[in-house]
Amino acid sequence: MSINGYGVPEEWLNILVFIHVVAAIVGIGPTYFGHVLLRQGQTWGQLKSSLVYTKTLEKFPKILGSLAVLSGLLLAWLGDYGFDQLWIYGAIAIYVIIQIVVIGFMAPAGQKLADTVFASAEPADRPVPHDIAARLSKVNKINWIATTLGIVLFLLMFFKPTL
């Protein structure tokens, strides 16, 4: 292993791989639970609780997902892969697309939904009305796009296809 011609001990690279894998799994994994939280058929109280949990889950990809990206870039630079393999560029592109989907579409739609839900004084046991359920469905559909891209990203990382 080399970094610009200087040797990097393999133990360090193994530690970096461990950090990368754990950060990716723990950082991104909980976002897949978002589909449970964004399910249809909730009462106002359940939806409020789900939105609070969703806000907590957002911290995982923000912190550990960022660590996974940084450690992945370091691995590409320090390890044997380099930046000459197409799957690395594909993974970076998919990550950027996920960020655009989440930051540009899902976060604003989710925030509008949360603002409406938390501003409401509806009883906790009352079913969510159709207009709120439709907004919830929209946020969940956007989340499906992001999580599907995340699966493709994981597959690229796991199989490292070459052309």
Side-chain angles (χ1 to χ4, degrees):
M1 310 290 165
S2 67
I3 172 172
N4 300 330
Y6 299 102
V8 175
E10 193 166 336
E11 305 86 51
W12 287 102
L13 288 176
N14 289 339
I15 291 169
L16 192 56
V17 167
F18 177 77
I19 290 169
H20 179 67
V21 169
V22 170
I25 292 170
V26 176
I28 307 302
T31 60
Y32 293 93
F33 186 68
H35 297 291
V36 173
L37 297 174
L38 298 173
R39 71 191 181 281
Q40 292 294 316
Q42 299 185 65
T43 64
W44 276 103
Q46 290 169 330
L47 183 55
K48 284 181 180 181
S49 293
S50 291
L51 291 172
V52 169
Y53 290 132
T54 300
K55 199 70 167 165
T56 302
L57 284 180
E58 286 177 2
K59 295 175 186 173
F60 287 90
K62 286 179 181 175
I63 298 167
L64 294 171
S66 299
L67 178 61
V69 170
L70 292 175
S71 60
L73 291 172
L74 271 173
L75 281 169
W77 185 47
L78 298 174
D80 289 336
Y81 295 114
F83 286 97
D84 59 343
Q85 294 191 19
L86 187 59
W87 72 267
I88 291 176
Y89 290 109
I92 292 169
I94 291 171
Y95 178 79
V96 169
I97 293 169
I98 290 170
Q99 294 305 308
I100 291 169
V101 168
V102 170
I103 295 169
F105 298 97
M106 188 173 149
Q111 189 60 53
K112 286 179 186 176
L113 173 66
D115 290 346
T116 303
V117 169
F118 288 115
S120 172
E122 295 292 329
D125 61 345
R126 185 161 183 217
V128 172
H130 293 295
D131 62 323
I132 301 298
R135 288 164 143 194
L136 180 63
S137 178
K138 177 184 176 184
V139 174
N140 197 23
K141 286 176 185 174
I142 298 169
N143 192 28
W144 272 111
I145 293 168
T147 55
T148 301
L149 288 169
I151 291 169
V152 173
L153 179 61
F154 276 126
L155 291 173
L156 275 177
M157 300 280 171
F158 184 77
F159 291 110
K160 298 172 181 52
T162 57
L163 294 178

